[in-house]
Amino acid sequence: MRIAVIGGGPGGLYFAALVKQVAPGHEVVLWERGEAEDAIGFGVVFSDGALGGVQAADPVLFDSVIDRFVRWESVGVRYRGRTISHDGYRFSAVGRRSLLRLLRERCAHRGVELRFASAAPPLPVLRSEFDLVVAADGVGSATRSSRPEAFGTRLEPRDSRYLWMGTDRMFDELTFAVVETPHGPLQVHAYPYAPGHSTFIVETTDRVLRAGGLEQPGRSPEDTARAVAALLEADEGLLGGHRLICTGSRWGRFTSVRNDRWSDGNAVLLGDAAHTTHFSIGSGTKLAMEDAVALAMALTDNRDLPDALAAYEAERKPAVERMQRVAEVSRDWFEHVDERIGLPPGEFTSHLLTRSGRISHRDLPLLDRDHVERVRNWFALTLATTS
Ligand SMILES: Cc1cc2nc3c(=O)[nH]c(=O)nc-3n(C[C@H](O)[C@H](O)[C@H](O)COP(=O)(O)OP(=O)(O)OC[C@H]3O[C@@H](n4cnc5c(N)ncnc54)[C@H](O)[C@@H]3O)c2cc1C
């Protein structure tokens, strides 16, 4: 089988590596328009158990990922200059660059043809030259937007604006901070991902961006970081004199992506191209990699391509929709944070952690042990029969 993969993010790379693991005879070509080391984003966080089936599919790879993990066991809510921490959570995080480097090495080792700094050829060309086209081309997927009716795409751009930055302040837990600036609140989602490095995502609304003069086309990333840091001085202890690191100055807009159908003929969506979840629950990478596991398994278990793509969608769509419902509650909470400002710190903290009593971070790591066991056995057995 000849497979084209569009996109060298975690979803596309993991899928390519897994397919070559279980079906070394398949030809897999992956296009990534960025340079190999271009990765956007600083760290990615996983809640405990979240790796589940993703890890079980390639435990050797994940030994290397886990070696690079920073781990912690609490969530802190910083509000009005005070941080209230809650224990009993387990999180780990890794640099996005490290993760992608390990995935690339895995692909190269297994014989995936990697074409970096190359935009994929147009979909009709790929469709005719390959048996399967996997569109792992991210939230702005051109594959998906070229066939919106075929996929039944529903996009919902939100009022949630964000800038994905880093800092040399090493936070010691997942920290949600709300900083009241003269222009309105800025929310911060920060967590460590490597020694001396933390992810630092600032989220706000169009109104605050405009009022604070934060969105200025043409401004350099350094000036953008300085402008944000200046507003955050309203809470001096948050950065504590450390600097913000910004690699791009464009504020993103969170967009909910849903597709009624995940495939169209021999083209199939995977990861953010198929679905998004708000970054406040930190699940997008894991979901993309879970898609990769499910698609690799479905292609091996089904002789017929339409059956394989139907099996993949039947397994993943309901699971993703469940996470999207949780993520929506979380997203809504952060989008309406100004309605909670003024609550006493203890009440504010528990409101945030339980998102109005509807979700808690403890609800997120839904570790399905049967599923993990099934994936582990499936890959072990398939590997034994192909080698
Ligand atoms: C602010 C923010 C914070 C986040 N934090 C976390 C977190 O802590 N934990 C977590 O799990 N997730 C997090 N996410 C989500 C996570 O980044 C995504 O869900 C994840 O990267 C999806 O992987 P993917 O492989 O589907 O797509 P992507 O990682 O977006 O990769 C798609 C790739 O396709 C390439 N591409 C696109 N078009 C073409 C083309 N025509 N030809 C060639 N290449 C192309 C792009 O260059 C890109 O590299 C966060 C997201 C945001 C916005």
Side-chain angles (χ1 to χ4, degrees):
M1 189 181 218
R2 300 190 72 226
I3 302 176
V5 181
I6 312 175
L13 286 170
Y14 200 36
F15 169 74
L18 288 177
V19 163
K20 286 295 278 185
Q21 173 181 329
V22 293
H26 287 359
E27 182 185 341
V28 182
V29 184
L30 182 148
W31 282 266
E32 165 54 52
R33 65 184 170 195
E35 299 283 351
E37 288 290 331
D38 257 6
I40 51 139
F42 290 83
V44 285
V45 64
F46 299 103
S47 47
D48 183 42
L51 282 174
V54 170
Q55 178 180 0
D58 189 344
V60 174
L61 167 73
F62 272 89
D63 282 351
S64 318
V65 176
I66 288 165
D67 277 350
R68 287 162 177 80
F69 268 171
V70 173
R71 298 169 186 280
W72 67 93
E73 300 194 349
S74 58
V75 175
V77 177
R78 186 168 176 88
Y79 171 64
R80 302 208 154 157
R82 208 176 127 203
T83 304
I84 299 180
S85 295
H86 281 248
D87 295 332
Y89 301 85
R90 290 174 55 181
F91 288 99
S92 40
V94 63
R96 189 172 144 99
R97 270 197 187 163
S98 300
L99 176 66
L100 293 181
R101 190 174 306 127
L102 290 168
L103 288 167
R104 279 197 308 272
E105 285 167 9
R106 206 70 176 145
C107 282
H109 174 72
R110 293 215 169 111
V112 175
E113 189 180 327
L114 294 170
R115 298 190 185 167
F116 281 93
S118 311
L123 183 61
V125 175
L126 291 178
R127 272 182 185 285
S128 65
E129 291 183 0
F130 288 82
D131 301 304
L132 173 66
V133 181
V134 178
D137 46 353
V139 60
S141 170
T143 314
R144 183 194 65 222
S145 48
S146 70
R147 308 271 303 149
E149 272 139 35
F151 291 115
T153 302
R154 286 169 288 139
L155 302 180
E156 194 191 346
R158 304 289 305 187
D159 194 27
S160 159
R161 305 293 306 274
Y162 63 85
L163 195 55
W164 202 350
M165 292 183 282
T167 173
D168 55 1
R169 168 161 183 205
M170 177 95 179
F171 283 84
D172 53 11
E173 59 187 355
L174 175 62
T175 302
F176 295 114
V178 176
V179 180
E180 294 165 79
T181 79
H183 311 290
L186 294 180
Q187 288 103 266
V188 172
H189 310 248
Y191 57 85
Y193 69 87
H197 296 281
S198 299
T199 290
F200 196 94
I201 301 165
V202 176
E203 181 186 7
T204 191
T205 58
D206 283 311
R207 185 184 61 75
V208 177
L209 276 193
R210 264 194 311 274
L214 288 174
E215 190 170 39
Q216 293 189 10
R219 194 186 239 176
S220 71
E222 294 75 20
D223 286 347
T224 303
R226 270 193 286 276
V228 174
L231 275 186
L232 292 175
E233 274 169 19
D235 175 359
E236 283 177 1
L238 178 61
L239 277 170
H242 288 267
R243 64 190 184 100
L244 286 181
I245 304 155
C246 188
T247 51
S249 53
R250 220 185 111 254
W251 287 79
R253 178 183 299 285
F254 177 73
T255 300
S256 286
V257 175
R258 288 188 172 73
N259 288 280
D260 294 335
R261 292 165 291 284
W262 286 20
S263 63
D264 165 34
N266 66 343
V268 64
L269 303 176
L270 184 148
D272 274 13
H275 47 77
T276 55
T277 46
H278 191 252
F279 46 82
S280 56
I281 67 159
S283 300
T285 306
K286 182 205 78 160
L287 290 175
M289 294 175 85
E290 282 177 348
D291 288 355
V293 172
L295 184 56
M297 289 171 77
L299 288 173
T300 312
D301 282 346
N302 295 273
R303 289 198 172 276
D304 202 36
L305 185 62
D307 288 350
L309 299 185
Y312 159 66
E313 180 175 323
E315 171 161 354
R316 293 301 298 147
K317 200 156 165 269
V320 164
E321 284 171 353
R322 269 197 304 280
M323 281 308 277
Q324 285 183 312
R325 283 193 289 276
V326 173
E328 262 169 27
V329 177
S330 183
R331 178 201 70 200
D332 290 351
W333 196 94
F334 283 101
E335 280 183 356
H336 296 106
V337 69
D338 31 6
E339 292 167 18
R340 278 102 207 183
I341 283 178
L343 288 175
E347 214 175 304
F348 183 88
T349 300
S350 69
H351 212 278
L352 191 159
L353 290 178
T354 60
R355 312 285 204 283
S356 316
R358 287 196 283 166
I359 64 159
S360 141
H361 263 273
R362 290 194 175 90
D363 295 332
L364 296 180
L366 301 164
L367 181 59
D368 178 345
R369 289 184 199 286
D370 291 344
H371 172 72
V372 174
E373 213 39 43
R374 187 168 72 82
V375 173
R376 183 176 294 116
N377 292 337
W378 189 94
F379 275 89
L381 193 68
T382 312
L383 206 57
T385 50
T386 52
S387 54

